[in-house]
Tab-separated table of all heavy atoms in Angstrom:
chain	number	residue	atom	x	y	z
B	205	SER	N	3.143	22.404	4.721
B	205	SER	CA	2.000	23.139	4.170
B	205	SER	C	0.714	22.704	4.860
B	205	SER	O	-0.172	23.525	5.089
B	205	SER	CB	1.915	23.049	2.649
B	205	SER	OG	1.983	21.737	2.244
B	206	PHE	N	0.619	21.454	5.256
B	206	PHE	CA	-0.573	20.993	5.974
B	206	PHE	C	-0.714	21.751	7.298
B	206	PHE	O	-1.775	22.282	7.620
B	206	PHE	CB	-0.457	19.483	6.237
B	206	PHE	CG	-1.695	18.861	6.813
B	206	PHE	CD1	-2.676	18.356	5.979
B	206	PHE	CD2	-1.891	18.787	8.189
B	206	PHE	CE1	-3.828	17.781	6.497
B	206	PHE	CE2	-3.037	18.212	8.724
B	206	PHE	CZ	-4.010	17.712	7.867
B	207	VAL	N	0.377	21.849	8.031
B	207	VAL	CA	0.299	22.485	9.354
B	207	VAL	C	0.095	23.994	9.212
B	207	VAL	O	-0.624	24.608	10.009
B	207	VAL	CB	1.548	22.144	10.196
B	207	VAL	CG1	1.558	22.895	11.522
B	207	VAL	CG2	1.608	20.642	10.460
B	208	SER	N	0.704	24.571	8.183
B	208	SER	CA	0.573	26.028	8.079
B	208	SER	C	-0.855	26.460	7.724
B	208	SER	O	-1.226	27.614	7.930
B	208	SER	CB	1.602	26.615	7.109
B	208	SER	OG	1.439	25.995	5.876
B	209	LEU	N	-1.668	25.524	7.237
B	209	LEU	CA	-3.075	25.872	6.977
B	209	LEU	C	-3.891	25.934	8.271
B	209	LEU	O	-5.055	26.316	8.272
B	209	LEU	CB	-3.712	24.841	6.034
B	209	LEU	CG	-3.161	24.832	4.611
B	209	LEU	CD1	-3.726	23.673	3.817
B	209	LEU	CD2	-3.469	26.158	3.910
B	210	GLY	N	-3.271	25.533	9.374
B	210	GLY	CA	-3.969	25.580	10.674
B	210	GLY	C	-4.403	24.187	11.092
B	210	GLY	O	-4.872	23.401	10.269
B	211	LEU	N	-4.239	23.887	12.381
B	211	LEU	CA	-4.584	22.549	12.879
B	211	LEU	C	-5.844	22.603	13.725
B	211	LEU	O	-6.032	23.542	14.505
B	211	LEU	CB	-3.439	22.009	13.746
B	211	LEU	CG	-2.150	21.647	13.014
B	211	LEU	CD1	-1.060	21.303	14.027
B	211	LEU	CD2	-2.371	20.480	12.060
B	212	LYS	N	-6.676	21.594	13.577
B	212	LYS	CA	-7.851	21.486	14.443
B	212	LYS	C	-7.511	20.550	15.594
B	212	LYS	O	-6.650	19.673	15.444
B	212	LYS	CB	-9.004	20.862	13.653
B	212	LYS	CG	-9.593	21.753	12.605
B	212	LYS	CD	-11.042	21.305	12.357
B	212	LYS	CE	-11.648	22.100	11.224
B	212	LYS	NZ	-11.856	21.328	10.026
B	213	ASP	N	-8.238	20.673	16.703
B	213	ASP	CA	-8.026	19.743	17.804
B	213	ASP	C	-8.397	18.335	17.349
B	213	ASP	O	-9.195	18.160	16.425
B	213	ASP	CB	-8.860	20.160	19.023
B	213	ASP	CG	-8.288	21.437	19.645
B	213	ASP	OD1	-7.162	21.822	19.270
B	213	ASP	OD2	-8.980	22.050	20.489
B	214	LEU	N	-7.830	17.360	18.023
B	214	LEU	CA	-7.943	15.977	17.552
B	214	LEU	C	-8.683	15.119	18.565
B	214	LEU	O	-8.373	15.177	19.766
B	214	LEU	CB	-6.511	15.433	17.387
B	214	LEU	CG	-6.351	14.014	16.899
B	214	LEU	CD1	-6.687	13.934	15.415
B	214	LEU	CD2	-4.903	13.544	17.113
B	215	SER	N	-9.632	14.327	18.087
B	215	SER	CA	-10.331	13.475	19.052
B	215	SER	C	-9.456	12.259	19.360
B	215	SER	O	-8.967	11.602	18.444
B	215	SER	CB	-11.702	13.074	18.510
B	215	SER	OG	-11.616	11.869	17.830
B	216	VAL	N	-9.230	12.004	20.630
B	216	VAL	CA	-8.273	10.947	21.005
B	216	VAL	C	-8.913	9.852	21.863
B	216	VAL	O	-8.216	9.125	22.574
B	216	VAL	CB	-7.026	11.530	21.724
B	216	VAL	CG1	-6.152	12.291	20.751
B	216	VAL	CG2	-7.400	12.393	22.912
B	217	SER	N	-10.258	9.778	21.840
B	217	SER	CA	-10.899	8.647	22.516
B	217	SER	C	-12.037	8.165	21.637
B	217	SER	O	-12.473	8.867	20.720
B	217	SER	CB	-11.437	9.066	23.883
B	217	SER	OG	-12.669	9.757	23.727
B	218	ARG	N	-12.515	6.969	21.891
B	218	ARG	CA	-13.677	6.417	21.188
B	218	ARG	C	-14.611	5.797	22.211
B	218	ARG	O	-14.150	5.173	23.182
B	218	ARG	CB	-13.254	5.315	20.193
B	218	ARG	CG	-12.384	5.805	19.057
B	218	ARG	CD	-13.191	6.593	18.023
B	218	ARG	NE	-12.345	7.083	16.955
B	218	ARG	CZ	-11.705	8.258	16.976
B	218	ARG	NH1	-11.807	9.064	18.011
B	218	ARG	NH2	-10.965	8.632	15.953
B	219	THR	N	-15.926	5.984	21.961
B	219	THR	CA	-16.887	5.293	22.819
B	219	THR	C	-17.632	4.231	22.011
B	219	THR	O	-18.303	3.380	22.566
B	219	THR	CB	-17.924	6.272	23.416
B	219	THR	OG1	-18.467	7.030	22.341
B	219	THR	CG2	-17.320	7.189	24.444
B	220	SER	N	-17.476	4.297	20.672
B	220	SER	CA	-18.226	3.372	19.814
B	220	SER	C	-17.590	1.985	19.774
B	220	SER	O	-18.171	1.058	19.252
B	220	SER	CB	-18.294	3.938	18.401
B	220	SER	OG	-16.991	4.260	17.968
B	221	ILE	N	-16.368	1.864	20.251
B	221	ILE	CA	-15.750	0.530	20.268
B	221	ILE	C	-15.251	0.209	21.681
B	221	ILE	O	-15.059	1.119	22.502
B	221	ILE	CB	-14.566	0.420	19.274
B	221	ILE	CG1	-13.455	1.424	19.614
B	221	ILE	CG2	-15.009	0.613	17.851
B	221	ILE	CD1	-12.169	1.139	18.877
B	222	GLN	N	-15.056	-1.065	21.929
B	222	GLN	CA	-14.586	-1.469	23.262
B	222	GLN	C	-13.135	-1.940	23.221
B	222	GLN	O	-12.450	-1.956	24.237
B	222	GLN	CB	-15.423	-2.644	23.813
B	222	GLN	CG	-16.709	-2.242	24.490
B	222	GLN	CD	-17.824	-2.127	23.455
B	222	GLN	OE1	-17.998	-3.036	22.656
B	222	GLN	NE2	-18.543	-1.018	23.444
B	223	TRP	N	-12.673	-2.328	22.031
B	223	TRP	CA	-11.372	-2.985	21.950
B	223	TRP	C	-10.239	-1.952	21.933
B	223	TRP	O	-9.821	-1.479	20.875
B	223	TRP	CB	-11.324	-3.893	20.706
B	223	TRP	CG	-10.054	-4.661	20.557
B	223	TRP	CD1	-9.254	-4.678	19.461
B	223	TRP	CD2	-9.433	-5.520	21.512
B	223	TRP	NE1	-8.173	-5.492	19.671
B	223	TRP	CE2	-8.250	-6.016	20.933
B	223	TRP	CE3	-9.738	-5.905	22.828
B	223	TRP	CZ2	-7.384	-6.890	21.592
B	223	TRP	CZ3	-8.875	-6.771	23.489
B	223	TRP	CH2	-7.730	-7.255	22.880
B	224	GLY	N	-9.825	-1.572	23.135
B	224	GLY	CA	-8.759	-0.588	23.246
B	224	GLY	C	-8.372	-0.441	24.698
B	224	GLY	O	-8.928	-1.109	25.582
B	225	ILE	N	-7.445	0.455	24.947
B	225	ILE	CA	-7.005	0.694	26.329
B	225	ILE	C	-7.994	1.675	26.963
B	225	ILE	O	-8.256	2.742	26.388
B	225	ILE	CB	-5.571	1.278	26.331
B	225	ILE	CG1	-4.602	0.245	25.738
B	225	ILE	CG2	-5.153	1.726	27.728
B	225	ILE	CD1	-3.168	0.717	25.607
B	226	PRO	N	-8.573	1.317	28.130
B	226	PRO	CA	-9.510	2.244	28.766
B	226	PRO	C	-8.848	3.609	28.984
B	226	PRO	O	-7.689	3.681	29.405
B	226	PRO	CB	-9.820	1.565	30.102
B	226	PRO	CG	-9.463	0.124	29.899
B	226	PRO	CD	-8.365	0.085	28.883
B	227	PHE	N	-9.569	4.677	28.641
B	227	PHE	CA	-8.984	6.024	28.740
B	227	PHE	C	-8.966	6.455	30.203
B	227	PHE	O	-10.031	6.582	30.815
B	227	PHE	CB	-9.818	7.007	27.913
B	227	PHE	CG	-9.014	8.190	27.453
B	227	PHE	CD1	-8.646	8.323	26.121
B	227	PHE	CD2	-8.621	9.175	28.358
B	227	PHE	CE1	-7.891	9.411	25.690
B	227	PHE	CE2	-7.858	10.257	27.939
B	227	PHE	CZ	-7.490	10.380	26.595
B	228	PRO	N	-7.789	6.676	30.778
B	228	PRO	CA	-7.739	7.010	32.200
B	228	PRO	C	-8.573	8.266	32.488
B	228	PRO	O	-8.430	9.286	31.804
B	228	PRO	CB	-6.257	7.285	32.469
B	228	PRO	CG	-5.520	6.735	31.305
B	228	PRO	CD	-6.459	6.671	30.152
B	229	GLY	N	-9.461	8.162	33.461
B	229	GLY	CA	-10.249	9.330	33.872
B	229	GLY	C	-11.518	9.529	33.063
B	229	GLY	O	-12.302	10.444	33.362
B	230	TYR	N	-11.757	8.748	32.017
B	230	TYR	CA	-12.963	8.912	31.197
B	230	TYR	C	-13.631	7.544	31.001
B	230	TYR	O	-13.424	6.882	29.967
B	230	TYR	CB	-12.623	9.541	29.838
B	230	TYR	CG	-12.089	10.956	29.959
B	230	TYR	CD1	-10.735	11.189	30.181
B	230	TYR	CD2	-12.948	12.053	29.864
B	230	TYR	CE1	-10.240	12.474	30.304
B	230	TYR	CE2	-12.456	13.347	29.982
B	230	TYR	CZ	-11.108	13.552	30.210
B	230	TYR	OH	-10.616	14.825	30.332
B	231	PRO	N	-14.419	7.107	31.989
B	231	PRO	CA	-15.032	5.774	31.895
B	231	PRO	C	-15.876	5.658	30.625
B	231	PRO	O	-16.514	6.628	30.207
B	231	PRO	CB	-15.917	5.698	33.150
B	231	PRO	CG	-15.499	6.833	34.025
B	231	PRO	CD	-14.805	7.853	33.189
B	232	GLY	N	-15.839	4.498	30.009
B	232	GLY	CA	-16.617	4.276	28.778
B	232	GLY	C	-15.846	4.656	27.520
B	232	GLY	O	-16.260	4.330	26.415
B	233	HIS	N	-14.729	5.345	27.685
B	233	HIS	CA	-13.921	5.727	26.518
B	233	HIS	C	-12.702	4.805	26.416
B	233	HIS	O	-12.109	4.463	27.431
B	233	HIS	CB	-13.376	7.156	26.672
B	233	HIS	CG	-14.438	8.205	26.599
B	233	HIS	ND1	-14.518	9.105	25.570
B	233	HIS	CD2	-15.458	8.494	27.438
B	233	HIS	CE1	-15.540	9.926	25.770
B	233	HIS	NE2	-16.128	9.563	26.913
B	234	VAL	N	-12.355	4.456	25.176
B	234	VAL	CA	-11.044	3.801	25.005
B	234	VAL	C	-10.132	4.772	24.260
B	234	VAL	O	-10.592	5.682	23.569
B	234	VAL	CB	-11.135	2.451	24.240
B	234	VAL	CG1	-11.961	1.426	24.990
B	234	VAL	CG2	-11.633	2.636	22.819
B	235	VAL	N	-8.838	4.549	24.424
B	235	VAL	CA	-7.859	5.459	23.815
B	235	VAL	C	-7.891	5.277	22.294
B	235	VAL	O	-7.903	4.144	21.793
B	235	VAL	CB	-6.441	5.151	24.359
B	235	VAL	CG1	-5.405	6.065	23.710
B	235	VAL	CG2	-6.405	5.260	25.871
B	236	TYR	N	-7.922	6.392	21.578
B	236	TYR	CA	-7.871	6.395	20.114
B	236	TYR	C	-6.652	5.581	19.675
B	236	TYR	O	-5.550	5.743	20.218
B	236	TYR	CB	-7.771	7.847	19.645
B	236	TYR	CG	-7.494	8.050	18.176
B	236	TYR	CD1	-8.193	7.350	17.202
B	236	TYR	CD2	-6.541	8.990	17.766
B	236	TYR	CE1	-7.945	7.568	15.855
B	236	TYR	CE2	-6.290	9.217	16.423
B	236	TYR	CZ	-6.988	8.496	15.479
B	236	TYR	OH	-6.741	8.714	14.150
B	237	VAL	N	-6.865	4.726	18.682
B	237	VAL	CA	-5.834	3.749	18.340
B	237	VAL	C	-4.494	4.391	17.939
B	237	VAL	O	-3.432	3.827	18.176
B	237	VAL	CB	-6.359	2.756	17.269
B	237	VAL	CG1	-6.572	3.429	15.941
B	237	VAL	CG2	-5.444	1.568	17.127
B	238	TRP	N	-4.525	5.596	17.386
B	238	TRP	CA	-3.242	6.202	17.000
B	238	TRP	C	-2.461	6.738	18.194
B	238	TRP	O	-1.231	6.645	18.226
B	238	TRP	CB	-3.452	7.292	15.935
B	238	TRP	CG	-3.443	6.673	14.568
B	238	TRP	CD1	-4.529	6.375	13.798
B	238	TRP	CD2	-2.291	6.227	13.834
B	238	TRP	NE1	-4.131	5.777	12.631
B	238	TRP	CE2	-2.770	5.675	12.624
B	238	TRP	CE3	-0.930	6.237	14.075
B	238	TRP	CZ2	-1.908	5.139	11.658
B	238	TRP	CZ3	-0.076	5.700	13.113
B	238	TRP	CH2	-0.561	5.172	11.933
B	239	LEU	N	-3.171	7.299	19.182
B	239	LEU	CA	-2.453	7.740	20.389
B	239	LEU	C	-1.883	6.508	21.093
B	239	LEU	O	-0.734	6.498	21.563
B	239	LEU	CB	-3.410	8.526	21.323
B	239	LEU	CG	-2.877	8.893	22.705
B	239	LEU	CD1	-1.555	9.662	22.635
B	239	LEU	CD2	-3.906	9.748	23.478
B	240	ASP	N	-2.677	5.458	21.114
B	240	ASP	CA	-2.253	4.175	21.671
B	240	ASP	C	-1.013	3.677	20.909
B	240	ASP	O	0.056	3.435	21.486
B	240	ASP	CB	-3.470	3.232	21.529
B	240	ASP	CG	-3.209	1.765	21.809
B	240	ASP	OD1	-2.046	1.363	21.805
B	240	ASP	OD2	-4.188	1.021	22.000
B	241	ALA	N	-1.149	3.568	19.572
B	241	ALA	CA	-0.094	2.929	18.775
B	241	ALA	C	1.218	3.713	18.802
B	241	ALA	O	2.289	3.142	18.975
B	241	ALA	CB	-0.573	2.773	17.339
B	242	LEU	N	1.130	5.032	18.636
B	242	LEU	CA	2.368	5.826	18.559
B	242	LEU	C	3.197	5.692	19.834
B	242	LEU	O	4.431	5.730	19.800
B	242	LEU	CB	2.024	7.298	18.282
B	242	LEU	CG	1.534	7.580	16.860
B	242	LEU	CD1	0.768	8.896	16.773
B	242	LEU	CD2	2.713	7.604	15.875
B	243	THR	N	2.490	5.504	20.943
B	243	THR	CA	3.204	5.445	22.224
B	243	THR	C	4.058	4.178	22.342
B	243	THR	O	4.914	4.075	23.218
B	243	THR	CB	2.185	5.565	23.379
B	243	THR	OG1	1.405	6.730	23.136
B	243	THR	CG2	2.841	5.703	24.724
B	244	ASN	N	3.876	3.224	21.405
B	244	ASN	CA	4.700	2.003	21.473
B	244	ASN	C	6.186	2.330	21.440
B	244	ASN	O	7.004	1.618	22.012
B	244	ASN	CB	4.335	1.044	20.326
B	244	ASN	CG	5.147	1.280	19.061
B	244	ASN	OD1	6.225	0.736	18.887
B	244	ASN	ND2	4.635	2.134	18.183
B	245	TYR	N	6.526	3.428	20.727
B	245	TYR	CA	7.938	3.762	20.585
B	245	TYR	C	8.572	4.089	21.940
B	245	TYR	O	9.778	3.965	22.113
B	245	TYR	CB	8.111	4.953	19.627
B	245	TYR	CG	7.527	4.717	18.250
B	245	TYR	CD1	6.704	5.660	17.639
B	245	TYR	CD2	7.800	3.548	17.559
B	245	TYR	CE1	6.177	5.445	16.372
B	245	TYR	CE2	7.269	3.319	16.291
B	245	TYR	CZ	6.456	4.276	15.703
B	245	TYR	OH	5.934	4.053	14.452
B	246	LEU	N	7.733	4.529	22.881
B	246	LEU	CA	8.234	4.828	24.229
B	246	LEU	C	8.035	3.641	25.164
B	246	LEU	O	8.920	3.318	25.965
B	246	LEU	CB	7.493	6.027	24.825
B	246	LEU	CG	7.604	7.360	24.101
B	246	LEU	CD1	6.925	8.442	24.933
B	246	LEU	CD2	9.058	7.724	23.858
B	247	SER	N	6.850	3.009	25.074
B	247	SER	CA	6.585	1.944	26.049
B	247	SER	C	7.575	0.793	25.866
B	247	SER	O	7.948	0.143	26.839
B	247	SER	CB	5.134	1.463	25.983
B	247	SER	OG	4.797	1.124	24.678
B	248	ALA	N	8.033	0.570	24.630
B	248	ALA	CA	9.023	-0.492	24.419
B	248	ALA	C	10.364	-0.141	25.061
B	248	ALA	O	11.220	-1.003	25.227
B	248	ALA	CB	9.212	-0.736	22.929
B	249	LEU	N	10.548	1.134	25.399
B	249	LEU	CA	11.787	1.527	26.086
B	249	LEU	C	11.564	1.596	27.598
B	249	LEU	O	12.399	2.123	28.331
B	249	LEU	CB	12.273	2.891	25.574
B	249	LEU	CG	12.690	2.962	24.103
B	249	LEU	CD1	13.098	4.381	23.724
B	249	LEU	CD2	13.847	1.997	23.825
B	250	GLY	N	10.408	1.121	28.036
B	250	GLY	CA	10.158	1.084	29.484
B	250	GLY	C	9.512	2.347	30.015
B	250	GLY	O	9.361	2.502	31.236
B	251	PHE	N	9.103	3.245	29.123
B	251	PHE	CA	8.446	4.475	29.585
B	251	PHE	C	7.166	4.094	30.348
B	251	PHE	O	6.384	3.260	29.887
B	251	PHE	CB	8.107	5.344	28.370
B	251	PHE	CG	7.341	6.593	28.688
B	251	PHE	CD1	7.976	7.696	29.255
B	251	PHE	CD2	5.981	6.675	28.429
B	251	PHE	CE1	7.273	8.846	29.541
B	251	PHE	CE2	5.265	7.819	28.713
B	251	PHE	CZ	5.914	8.910	29.276
B	252	GLY	N	6.995	4.663	31.520
B	252	GLY	CA	5.827	4.321	32.335
B	252	GLY	C	6.102	3.180	33.300
B	252	GLY	O	5.257	2.828	34.109
B	253	SER	N	7.299	2.579	33.207
B	253	SER	CA	7.632	1.495	34.145
B	253	SER	C	8.649	2.011	35.161
B	253	SER	O	9.061	3.166	35.102
B	253	SER	CB	8.222	0.307	33.388
B	253	SER	OG	9.562	0.599	33.032
B	254	GLU	N	9.095	1.119	36.035
B	254	GLU	CA	10.057	1.538	37.067
B	254	GLU	C	11.444	1.745	36.461
B	254	GLU	O	12.241	2.506	36.978
B	254	GLU	CB	10.190	0.470	38.183
B	254	GLU	CG	8.924	0.185	38.983
B	254	GLU	CD	7.888	-0.578	38.161
B	254	GLU	OE1	8.275	-1.558	37.478
B	254	GLU	OE2	6.706	-0.165	38.164
B	255	SER	N	11.713	1.049	35.354
B	255	SER	CA	13.082	1.118	34.842
B	255	SER	C	13.177	2.068	33.647
B	255	SER	O	12.499	1.883	32.636
B	255	SER	CB	13.517	-0.285	34.410
B	255	SER	OG	14.595	-0.154	33.521
B	256	SER	N	14.022	3.080	33.802
B	256	SER	CA	14.126	4.054	32.714
B	256	SER	C	15.425	3.878	31.923
B	256	SER	O	15.781	4.730	31.119
B	256	SER	CB	14.034	5.471	33.284
B	256	SER	OG	15.164	5.699	34.109
B	257	ALA	N	16.139	2.752	32.158
B	257	ALA	CA	17.472	2.611	31.548
B	257	ALA	C	17.424	2.704	30.014
B	257	ALA	O	18.193	3.462	29.411
B	257	ALA	CB	18.094	1.288	31.981
B	258	LEU	N	16.513	1.960	29.400
B	258	LEU	CA	16.465	1.971	27.931
B	258	LEU	C	16.014	3.333	27.416
B	258	LEU	O	16.546	3.860	26.437
B	258	LEU	CB	15.503	0.895	27.428
B	258	LEU	CG	16.007	-0.540	27.469
B	258	LEU	CD1	14.906	-1.511	27.073
B	258	LEU	CD2	17.215	-0.708	26.547
B	259	PHE	N	15.003	3.885	28.088
B	259	PHE	CA	14.499	5.200	27.680
B	259	PHE	C	15.631	6.229	27.744
B	259	PHE	O	15.823	7.022	26.817
B	259	PHE	CB	13.320	5.599	28.573
B	259	PHE	CG	12.717	6.922	28.205
B	259	PHE	CD1	11.810	7.019	27.154
B	259	PHE	CD2	13.074	8.078	28.880
B	259	PHE	CE1	11.266	8.243	26.790
B	259	PHE	CE2	12.535	9.301	28.526
B	259	PHE	CZ	11.628	9.389	27.479
B	260	ASP	N	16.375	6.209	28.835
B	260	ASP	CA	17.465	7.185	28.983
B	260	ASP	C	18.525	7.015	27.907
B	260	ASP	O	19.159	7.971	27.487
B	260	ASP	CB	18.126	7.050	30.364
B	260	ASP	CG	17.169	7.461	31.471
B	260	ASP	OD1	16.144	8.106	31.150
B	260	ASP	OD2	17.418	7.109	32.643
B	261	LYS	N	18.710	5.774	27.478
B	261	LYS	CA	19.780	5.524	26.522
B	261	LYS	C	19.352	5.736	25.063
B	261	LYS	O	20.125	6.209	24.237
B	261	LYS	CB	20.240	4.085	26.691
B	261	LYS	CG	21.483	3.765	25.941
B	261	LYS	CD	21.913	2.395	26.297
B	261	LYS	CE	23.408	2.280	26.291
B	261	LYS	NZ	23.804	0.984	26.803
B	262	PHE	N	18.093	5.379	24.762
B	262	PHE	CA	17.720	5.345	23.347
B	262	PHE	C	16.707	6.397	22.917
B	262	PHE	O	16.249	6.379	21.785
B	262	PHE	CB	17.224	3.946	22.964
B	262	PHE	CG	18.331	2.933	22.954
B	262	PHE	CD1	18.448	1.990	23.966
B	262	PHE	CD2	19.284	2.948	21.952
B	262	PHE	CE1	19.489	1.077	23.961
B	262	PHE	CE2	20.323	2.042	21.941
B	262	PHE	CZ	20.426	1.104	22.948
Side-chain angles (χ1 to χ4, degrees):
S205 51
F206 187 90
V207 175
S208 57
L209 293 173
L211 290 173
K212 289 205 185 110
D213 289 348
L214 180 73
S215 92
V216 289
S217 79
R218 295 286 179 271
T219 51
S220 52
I221 61 167
Q222 276 87 49
W223 182 234
I225 296 177
F227 206 108
Y230 295 86
H233 291 247
V234 297
V235 179
Y236 171 47
V237 68
W238 273 101
L239 172 55
D240 169 343
L242 288 160
T243 307
N244 90 88
Y245 302 132
L246 299 186
S247 52
L249 296 178
F251 176 76
S253 76
E254 297 72 45
S255 160
S256 65
L258 284 174
F259 181 81
D260 293 345
K261 190 174 214 173
F262 290 106

